[in-house]
Amino acid sequence: MHALPRDPKGWSAKEVRQWAIEVVGIDEEDADKLVRQKINGRALHTLTEAKLERCGIPIGPAGLLMEAMEGLGGGGSSAASAGDRGLAVTGGVSEVVKELRLLRVEQQRQRTQVKV
């Protein structure tokens, strides 16, 4: 197979399939389900575990895909392994999650200051 483009959002459905098999480690049968659902790189970032399961992907591979997708978004230990494989680590869902966590911490601080 050919090397994947550095920006996952630009991947075709066949490149998502390649990534799912070669990097994530799911079997070809489950990766083919992504192609049948026309999951390209942009669509990949919109998936949830429930959506993957509705596509017929079992819980185990769906969880592996979700974990690996977090790495593509730029967060967690999966990001390092994705980067080690030559994939671009770009902003995405994980950065939004980080921002939300920071916002919650700030809101908690403000509530604590009001109570004191």
Side-chain angles (χ1 to χ4, degrees), residues 2 31 36 42 46 63 65 83 85 88 102:
H2 72 283
R36 281 195 295 277
R42 286 185 61 202
T46 69
L65 284 164
R85 290 184 176 92
L102 288 173

Side-chain angles (χ1 to χ4, degrees), residues 28-38 55-58:
E28 290 185 20
E29 179 184 345
D30 290 327
D32 287 340
K33 293 172 185 174
L34 296 171
V35 174
R36 281 195 295 277
Q37 294 295 323
K38 300 180 181 176
C55 292
I57 298 175

Side-chain angles (χ1 to χ4, degrees), residues 1-20 22-23 40-42 44-45 72 82-83 85-90:
M1 289 273 184
H2 72 283
L4 292 169
R6 294 198 54 78
D7 183 3
K9 290 185 180 179
W11 292 350
S12 68
K14 288 185 179 186
E15 288 167 331
V16 168
R17 178 189 184 276
Q18 176 185 346
W19 167 79
E22 295 177 4
V23 177
N40 62 18
R42 286 185 61 202
L44 185 66
H45 292 285
L72 292 176
R85 290 184 176 92
L87 302 175
V89 178
T90 60

Side-chain angles (χ1 to χ4, degrees), residues 61-79:
L64 294 174
L65 284 164
M66 294 304 299
E67 180 180 47
M69 285 188 299
E70 287 178 25
L72 292 176
S77 59
S78 297

